[in-house]
Amino acid sequence: MSFAIQHLCNGLIRRSIELRALYRHAAMRVSEPGLRTVLDEEAQSLTLVIAELQAQIRNHEGTPATRRRMVGAVRFGFDALMPRTDDAWIRLLARHEQSLLRSFERVIARVGPSDMSAELHRQLPRLHSIDLDMHSLAKAIGFGH
């Protein structure tokens, strides 16, 4: 695996780690128990995406990312400290989820045909499912995502 491909994939891993942390934090902060369950499930799905990407990088003798970016930690701190309603959490998570999905699609286009491209494509249905869940929740509260 080239350093450039590893760098791009590690960027996706870091962004996924950041979003997973935000899902977990939101799950502890929302008041609706059903929403809490959905957010926990989305965090678990992201855990699977992260683990599979890390394993694929290791399989190619690369070094996978294991933590978020410094800028992500700062943004998380800001997002986590703001008092939010359940609706505000949904809007925030929907925006971040859409951004992560677009990032995956951009990296797939840049990587071209390769083992990592195939692995990234395998993750897309899971990410689309999370995005669909968040889109449905956002639509239910009147937020066009």
Side-chain angles (χ1 to χ4, degrees):
M1 168 183 308
S2 75
F3 179 75
I5 291 174
Q6 180 178 317
H7 179 74
L8 289 170
C9 292
N10 274 334
L12 293 175
I13 291 170
R14 286 184 180 98
R15 289 190 69 163
S16 298
I17 290 170
E18 292 164 12
L19 184 54
R20 178 185 62 188
L22 195 56
Y23 271 109
R24 287 176 174 167
H25 185 77
M28 292 186 305
R29 299 283 188 237
V30 297
S31 59
E32 173 60 40
L35 179 57
R36 192 172 302 126
T37 300
V38 169
L39 298 182
D40 281 333
E41 289 171 357
E42 306 302 10
Q44 291 170 15
S45 290
L46 283 171
T47 296
L48 294 173
V49 169
I50 293 162
E52 290 174 17
L53 290 177
Q54 289 171 328
Q56 189 69 16
I57 290 174
R58 280 188 202 98
N59 289 343
H60 287 89
E61 299 180 12
T63 304
T66 57
R67 54 189 161 87
R68 57 187 166 204
R69 305 168 296 173
M70 184 60 93
V71 70
V74 170
R75 184 176 48 206
F76 173 81
F78 177 75
D79 288 339
L81 290 176
M82 298 296 293
R84 297 186 190 281
T85 63
D86 288 4
D87 292 357
W89 279 115
I90 291 169
R91 286 191 299 272
L92 178 68
L93 291 166
R95 279 194 312 270
H96 283 285
E97 185 60 48
Q98 185 67 39
S99 177
L100 179 63
L101 181 58
R102 283 193 311 266
S103 294
F104 264 78
E105 292 167 346
R106 280 192 305 270
V107 169
I108 288 170
R110 289 186 65 189
V111 166
S114 68
D115 288 345
M116 277 313 292
S117 175
E119 178 60 31
L120 294 171
H121 275 285
R122 278 192 292 277
Q123 299 308 319
L124 279 180
R126 187 174 284 140
L127 293 170
H128 280 290
S129 176
I130 296 170
D131 185 58
L132 182 61
D133 290 346
M134 293 312 298
H135 180 73
S136 296
L137 287 170
K139 189 175 178 180
I141 64 164
F143 177 68
H145 141 119

